[in-house]
Amino acid sequence: MALVRWQPFQEIDSLQRQMNRLFDNLMTTDTDGWTTTFTPAAEMQETPDAIHLKLEVPGLEPKDIDLQVSAETVSISGERKQETQTEENGTKRSEFRYGSFRRVIYLPARVQNTEVHAEYKNGILHLTLPKAEEEKNKVVKVNIS
């Protein structure tokens, strides 16, 4: 069994990042009452030729989504607008999340951002990001001393 040196400051930094993510997803107060922030969930899979990214953005039209891809990141932004309704009898409860959002996802490899294929179906945005040629053929010669 190998001994691992304890690094308390690294663990504190990790805890702070986790707490920041937690508070980013919590409710925020608006002038009209309580609303919640909306951040699309993401799922990423890497293959030898491409990176496949799925983003959950239900309730939006494709024209309302701003998608930008660089060689190393995917940036998605938009706004889910709340419908105005008046309730005369009783109460109204909504657990939907409304508001503008922006999310930047860092990719594990460089991609050809001019060859990205995007498809929006049933509230899920599917992105196929082909890897850059230098990433696909990346072989490093290691000298043994």
Side-chain angles (χ1 to χ4, degrees), residues 23 81 84-85 115 136 140:
F23 284 115
K81 296 182 176 140
T84 55
Q85 297 177 358
E115 302 294 324
K136 285 196 252 182
V140 178

Side-chain angles (χ1 to χ4, degrees), residues 4-5 14 34 46 57 70 85 88 103 134-135 139-140:
V4 178
R5 185 175 183 165
S14 174
W34 287 96
E46 184 176 3
V57 284
S70 72
Q85 297 177 358
E88 293 182 17
R103 180 162 184 192
E134 62 268 12
E135 291 293 327
V139 177
V140 178

Side-chain angles (χ1 to χ4, degrees), residues 38 56-60 78-82 96-101:
F38 169 65
E56 190 178 48
V57 284
L60 293 175
E79 182 176 3
R80 184 185 292 165
K81 296 182 176 140
Q82 185 172 10
F96 286 3
R97 296 179 178 203
Y98 298 98
S100 60
F101 65 90

Side-chain angles (χ1 to χ4, degrees), residues 64-82:
D64 296 331
I65 300 171
D66 181 30
L67 181 67
Q68 298 178 9
V69 179
S70 72
E72 291 123 4
T73 62
V74 171
S75 173
I76 182 170
S77 61
E79 182 176 3
R80 184 185 292 165
K81 296 182 176 140
Q82 185 172 10

Side-chain angles (χ1 to χ4, degrees), residues 27-111:
M27 295 169 51
T28 58
T29 305
D30 195 7
T31 56
D32 296 340
W34 287 96
T35 60
T36 57
T37 58
F38 169 65
T39 304
E43 186 176 276
M44 186 183 319
Q45 179 183 7
E46 184 176 3
T47 64
D49 294 327
I51 296 171
H52 301 278
L53 182 63
K54 291 194 298 188
L55 294 154
E56 190 178 48
V57 284
L60 293 175
E61 296 293 325
K63 64 179 176 56
D64 296 331
I65 300 171
D66 181 30
L67 181 67
Q68 298 178 9
V69 179
S70 72
E72 291 123 4
T73 62
V74 171
S75 173
I76 182 170
S77 61
E79 182 176 3
R80 184 185 292 165
K81 296 182 176 140
Q82 185 172 10
E83 300 172 6
T84 55
Q85 297 177 358
T86 57
E87 190 74 30
E88 293 182 17
N89 297 334
T91 60
K92 176 185 168 188
R93 177 179 172 168
S94 176
E95 294 181 357
F96 286 3
R97 296 179 178 203
Y98 298 98
S100 60
F101 65 90
R102 183 173 192 323
R103 180 162 184 192
V104 177
I105 299 169
Y106 293 92
L107 301 172
R110 293 180 62 84
V111 296

Side-chain angles (χ1 to χ4, degrees), residues 69-71 111-117 128-130:
V69 179
S70 72
V111 296
Q112 297 176 19
N113 59 344
T114 57
E115 302 294 324
V116 174
H117 179 268
T128 303
L129 306 144

